[in-house]
Amino acid sequence: MPQPAPTQPGTAPTRPGTATVRSRVRIPLTFPDGYRAEAEVFTFHGLADGAEHLALAFGTTPEDTTPQDATPLVRLHSECLTGDVFGSDRCDCGPQLRESVERIAEAGGYLLYLRQEGRGIGLYNKLDAYALQDSGLDTYDANTALGLPEDGRDYTAAAQMLAALGATGIDLLSNNPDKAAQLAGLGITVEHRVPTGVHLSASNIRYLRAKVERTGHSIELSRLVG
C-alpha cells in the first residue's frame, strides 16, 4: 500500500539550481522476459553533479495532462551494472528495474536512471565491498571498512530533472525512506511512497535484511522468510 511520505524537519534546505532538457528521443525497449515498452528518453543541461543521468518517460506524463490529472509515478533507480545488465542475484536491482518500467508504463510517469553505481561508491569499490561481504560484513559495514560512506547518493540532480520535466508533485516508487526525505528537502512534493515488490533470492537475503534493519527500507521480508 502507498505510504505517506515523511516530512523533513528543521531549517529550510537549499534549493538546487535550474536544469533544462537537452534532448529527447523515443527508444523501444524489449526485456529478456519479452516485455516491451516505449520510452521517451530525456537528457539534461545544468545538473548539479555533472553526470549523464537519464529520465525515461512511460505512459501519460505531466506534459500530456492537465493539473487535475493523476500524479506521475516516479522511480529513482541507481545504476547497477551487475544487476541491471548481467542479472546478478546479489541484489534486487535488476528485478526492481523491470518491475518499475511496467508499473510506470501502466500509471504514467518517469524512471530516472541515475549514474550512482554501488550507492555512489563506483563499480570497482562495489566489487571490493562484495569481497568483504563474502567474509561476513553486511552491505553497509563493507563500505565503511573501505573508508567509504554507507550510502553516498545525493538526489539533487534527480530533483532538478523532475523540475525540468514539470513533475514537482509525484508518487515515489521506492522502499527507501531517504529518497523521499531528500526529494522533499529539495522542493519535490512526494505525495506517497509506493513500495516495490520483494525480489528475494538465496543470494540476496542478507543484503535485503540489512536494508530493512539498518536503513528502514519497507521490504516485507518477514512474511517470506520469518
Side-chain angles (χ1 to χ4, degrees):
M1 292 291 292
Q3 304 174 12
T7 56
Q8 188 83 329
T11 58
T14 302
R15 294 290 189 263
T18 301
T20 57
V21 172
R22 172 183 173 276
S23 67
R24 53 198 294 176
V25 62
R26 290 195 175 273
I27 300 178
L29 307 178
T30 303
F31 287 81
D33 63 359
Y35 177 75
R36 295 173 179 268
E38 183 167 292
E40 185 164 19
V41 180
F42 293 80
T43 66
F44 299 87
H45 286 301
L47 296 179
D49 59 8
E52 294 186 333
H53 306 299
L54 300 175
L56 287 75
F58 298 97
T60 301
T61 62
E63 293 183 312
D64 309 314
T65 62
T66 56
Q68 67 268 25
D69 286 322
T71 302
L73 183 63
V74 172
R75 167 79 181 163
L76 274 56
H77 188 90
S78 297
E79 177 181 31
C80 177
L81 179 71
T82 50
D84 297 343
V85 177
F86 297 118
S88 169
D89 282 338
R90 293 190 70 133
C91 63
D92 57 347
C93 300
Q96 280 190 322
L97 178 62
R98 166 65 181 83
E99 174 195 358
S100 297
V101 169
E102 185 167 0
R103 291 180 67 175
I104 295 169
E106 291 172 353
Y110 299 99
L111 185 143
L112 305 191
Y113 198 80
L114 305 174
R115 312 303 296 273
Q116 298 173 329
E117 181 74 55
R119 297 197 303 272
I121 67 172
L123 179 59
Y124 281 14
N125 285 329
K126 181 179 82 170
L127 296 175
D128 291 343
Y130 278 178
L132 292 177
Q133 290 170 42
D134 288 344
S135 69
L137 297 183
D138 73 24
T139 182
Y140 299 106
D141 288 338
N143 282 18
T144 58
L146 293 170
L148 299 167
E150 291 184 355
D151 189 334
R153 291 174 294 183
D154 180 287
Y155 298 110
T156 300
Q160 291 178 297
M161 294 160 74
L162 291 171
L165 294 167
T168 54
I170 66 170
D171 288 337
L172 182 65
L173 182 59
S174 178
N175 301 320
N176 184 352
D178 183 55
K179 290 181 179 179
Q182 284 202 42
L183 287 178
L186 292 162
I188 301 298
T189 300
V190 181
E191 301 289 353
H192 299 95
R193 182 164 60 87
V194 183
T196 72
V198 180
H199 302 287
L200 182 67
S201 75
S203 299
N204 72 17
I205 185 169
R206 288 181 60 241
Y207 167 76
L208 296 182
R209 193 184 298 279
K211 293 209 292 186
V212 172
E213 295 176 352
R214 297 287 299 271
T215 50
H217 281 58
S218 53
I219 303 170
E220 296 184 16
L221 282 182
S222 58
R223 64 182 176 84
L224 296 177
V225 298

